[in-house]
Amino acid sequence: MGKRSKIALYTIVVIIILMMVAEVTKPAAINWRDSYSAADKIPLGCYVLFNELEDYSDEDILTSTETLYSYLKDVPEDSKTTLLLINDWISLDEEESKSLADYVDNGNSVFISSNYFYGNVIDSLNTYLERRNSGFFKKGATSSFTSPTLNKNKKLFKDVIETSYFTSIDTLNTTVLGTVTLEIDDIEDEIEGGEILTYANFIKIKYGDNGGYFYLHSNPFAFTNYHMLNDNEDYAATVLSFLPKQQLIWDNYKKSGRKIIKSPLRFILTNTALKWAFYVALLALVLFVIFKGKRTQRIIPVIDPVKNTTVEFTQIIGDLYYQNGNYKSIIEKKITYFLEYTRTRFYLETSELNQNFIDKLALKSSNTKATTKDIIDFIIHLKSKNTLNENDLIELNKKIESFTKTQ
């Protein structure tokens, strides 16, 4: 690699490192996505509200992380609870609608705050929800309550792009608890200003004969962290004050910000720390590939350790003696080996091979006296012979193997 190439490579590496440092140290951008999750601390999450609900009831807040059908089927029929559904939109399938209707019909309550309602159970309440989109020109919408004593808690929600409200309700079973006031520009005559329109945005609907109610609210933004921490918490507290004082169930499944991890790579890239660890690993891999070619060492051959050839050597020597017919030498070495084995294994003196030695050897070797006497007598016999043959060697080997087999 030439000098110019090295300078260019180092320059690129420095630029990459500076870019990474700038990216890590720059302030994190505010995440304005809709979430409504109890775990999210972003502006449109519900972390503040969920933690404040602990003071609402003496009982613990229950949390549902599965579909309404799966969760409500395990709720006891004699329990009295209130289910909270807060999200930008709420869509209920046929099974969920039936489960929710049965849940309220048993005397429980459901609070739904959303810009959009979908589902058979919502349709059965004879309500119609409409929304007004102000386009690029954000406007304010004032949410208030029908009770004069609660007017002090009405709030102006500024910079509203979409405002939802009820244009049709069932007056026989529905009580209007709150309204929203919209300021609409008079497009035809801008000189005359605009008109003030007021619609219901918080209603209470009786359902069934056991004291169950649906509470429908069309401004879920009021319960987000952004509004709870910007002097609008009184409005949210007043809305929730209309609910029965009983145990609450927080739905954390039907949320726009529900965590859905579909692949390991997506999980890594959605976590800031893991994402940068992944990028650093990729950079390290690139640098490794670049520099590896210059630093690759020649393969060192593997040298096998020296083998212990003592056994093979002994076998070869023995074969030479046997092939040359030197049976006497082989027999003498086998007798010497056997007596050495007796001394080291049984700690017996082998200078005198008498009856006393035979008795001790039989006892320590777990052989019978007859077997022990037979091999000792045969060894004495071989020592006394001048000429030894192949049969003597074979017989001695058999007796030694038979004697040592019991060890």
Side-chain angles (χ1 to χ4, degrees):
M1 183 181 292
K3 183 176 180 180
R4 291 185 178 181
S5 299
K6 290 183 179 179
I7 294 175
L9 178 61
Y10 295 151
T11 303
I12 293 173
V13 172
V14 171
I15 293 174
I16 293 175
I17 293 175
L18 291 177
M19 291 176 62
M20 292 176 59
V21 172
E23 184 69 22
V24 172
T25 56
K26 77 175 184 179
I30 298 177
N31 187 354
W32 287 99
R33 69 179 178 87
D34 296 335
S35 172
Y36 300 97
S37 173
D40 279 338
K41 299 180 181 180
I42 61 178
L44 297 184
C46 285
Y47 177 83
V48 175
L49 174 65
F50 181 78
N51 286 274
E52 291 297 326
L53 287 176
E54 296 179 355
D55 299 330
Y56 180 86
S57 174
D58 295 335
E59 300 183 73
D60 295 334
I61 307 299
L62 303 178
T63 302
S64 171
T65 56
E66 52 189 344
T67 63
L68 294 179
Y69 171 77
S70 300
Y71 185 83
L72 294 180
K73 68 180 182 180
D74 296 327
V75 175
E77 294 185 0
D78 57 347
S79 66
K80 298 298 178 183
T81 56
T82 300
L83 175 65
L84 302 180
L85 294 169
I86 303 175
N87 197 41
D88 183 41
W89 56 274
I90 298 294
S91 178
L92 305 172
D93 58 29
E94 185 175 350
E95 290 182 342
E96 290 179 323
S97 292
K98 186 178 184 306
S99 298
L100 199 62
D102 294 340
Y103 172 74
V104 179
D105 191 44
N106 289 331
N108 301 290
S109 297
V110 172
F111 174 77
I112 302 177
S113 181
S114 178
N115 287 317
Y116 313 92
F117 302 137
Y118 303 98
N120 295 338
V121 67
I122 302 298
D123 296 338
S124 67
L125 302 178
N126 298 321
T127 61
Y128 182 74
L129 191 68
E130 187 175 308
R131 70 183 185 277
R132 184 177 296 275
N133 193 323
S134 58
F136 294 103
F137 302 97
K138 299 179 181 180
K139 299 188 176 300
T142 302
S143 294
S144 56
F145 301 95
T146 56
S147 175
T149 60
L150 299 177
N151 279 337
K152 62 180 180 178
N153 292 332
K154 68 179 181 180
K155 293 295 178 181
L156 171 63
F157 293 89
K158 300 179 181 180
D159 300 331
V160 177
I161 295 179
E162 290 183 344
T163 302
S164 299
Y165 47 85
F166 296 98
T167 57
S168 176
I169 60 175
D170 182 3
T171 56
L172 295 179
N173 298 309
T174 303
T175 303
V176 178
L177 302 177
T179 60
V180 60
T181 302
L182 309 175
E183 183 178 352
I184 308 300
D185 283 344
D186 189 347
I187 301 176
E188 296 180 357
D189 189 359
E190 295 183 359
I191 299 177
E192 295 182 6
E195 57 177 331
I196 305 300
L197 301 177
T198 300
Y199 297 97
N201 75 334
F202 183 27
I203 59 177
K204 172 184 176 181
I205 305 174
K206 182 180 179 181
Y207 192 89
D209 300 325
N210 297 315
Y213 288 92
F214 278 95
Y215 295 84
L216 305 183
H217 184 260
S218 63
N219 183 15
F221 302 109
F223 302 100
T224 59
N225 299 327
Y226 177 79
H227 291 292
M228 292 289 290
L229 298 176
N230 284 277
D231 298 328
N232 289 336
E233 68 276 4
D234 292 341
Y235 175 78
T238 305
V239 171
L240 296 178
S241 68
F242 285 94
L243 305 181
K245 296 295 181 180
Q246 54 195 21
Q247 189 172 28
L248 299 178
I249 301 175
W250 175 272
D251 173 75
N252 212 37
Y253 181 83
K254 288 188 172 296
K255 301 294 183 184
S256 300
R258 178 163 58 95
K259 305 297 183 183
I260 302 177
I261 305 298
K262 295 183 179 180
S263 67
L265 183 59
R266 180 175 180 179
F267 174 78
I268 292 173
L269 296 180
T270 53
N271 187 295
T272 304
L274 293 178
K275 177 178 69 175
W276 281 107
F278 178 71
Y279 290 155
V280 170
L282 286 181
L283 177 61
L285 181 61
V286 172
L287 295 177
F288 173 77
V289 173
I290 293 174
F291 292 102
K292 183 178 186 299
K294 293 293 183 179
R295 296 182 176 272
T296 301
Q297 185 178 7
R298 180 177 58 85
I299 298 176
I300 300 175
V302 178
I303 301 176
D304 295 330
V306 179
K307 295 182 179 179
N308 186 355
T309 58
T310 304
V311 176
E312 290 81 355
F313 176 75
T314 304
Q315 290 178 345
I316 292 173
I317 296 301
D319 291 340
L320 289 175
Y321 275 108
Y322 187 79
Q323 290 174 4
N324 292 330
N326 193 353
Y327 303 115
K328 183 176 181 180
S329 180
I330 298 176
I331 291 174
E332 289 176 350
K333 287 179 172 54
K334 291 188 77 65
I335 293 174
T336 302
Y337 169 78
F338 176 76
L339 295 178
E340 177 64 23
Y341 168 80
T342 302
R343 287 191 295 271
T344 56
R345 181 66 182 272
F346 305 113
Y347 305 101
L348 295 176
E349 178 62 41
T350 59
S351 59
E352 295 184 6
L353 304 181
N354 51 25
Q355 186 62 40
N356 184 36
F357 171 79
I358 293 173
D359 294 339
K360 291 181 180 180
L361 181 59
L363 180 63
K364 290 188 176 185
S365 65
S366 301
N367 283 285
T368 62
K369 289 184 179 182
T371 302
T372 305
K373 183 175 182 355
D374 180 56
I375 187 172
I376 297 300
D377 289 345
F378 189 68
I379 288 173
I380 295 172
H381 170 68
L382 292 177
K383 282 185 173 185
S384 63
K385 291 180 64 175
N386 294 324
T387 304
L388 299 175
N389 55 37
E390 182 179 0
N391 292 330
D392 294 332
L393 176 60
I394 294 173
E395 184 67 20
L396 175 63
N397 188 69
K398 288 181 180 180
K399 290 181 182 295
I400 291 176
E401 287 184 351
S402 176
F403 182 83
T404 57
K405 190 180 296 184
T406 59
Q407 307 306 313

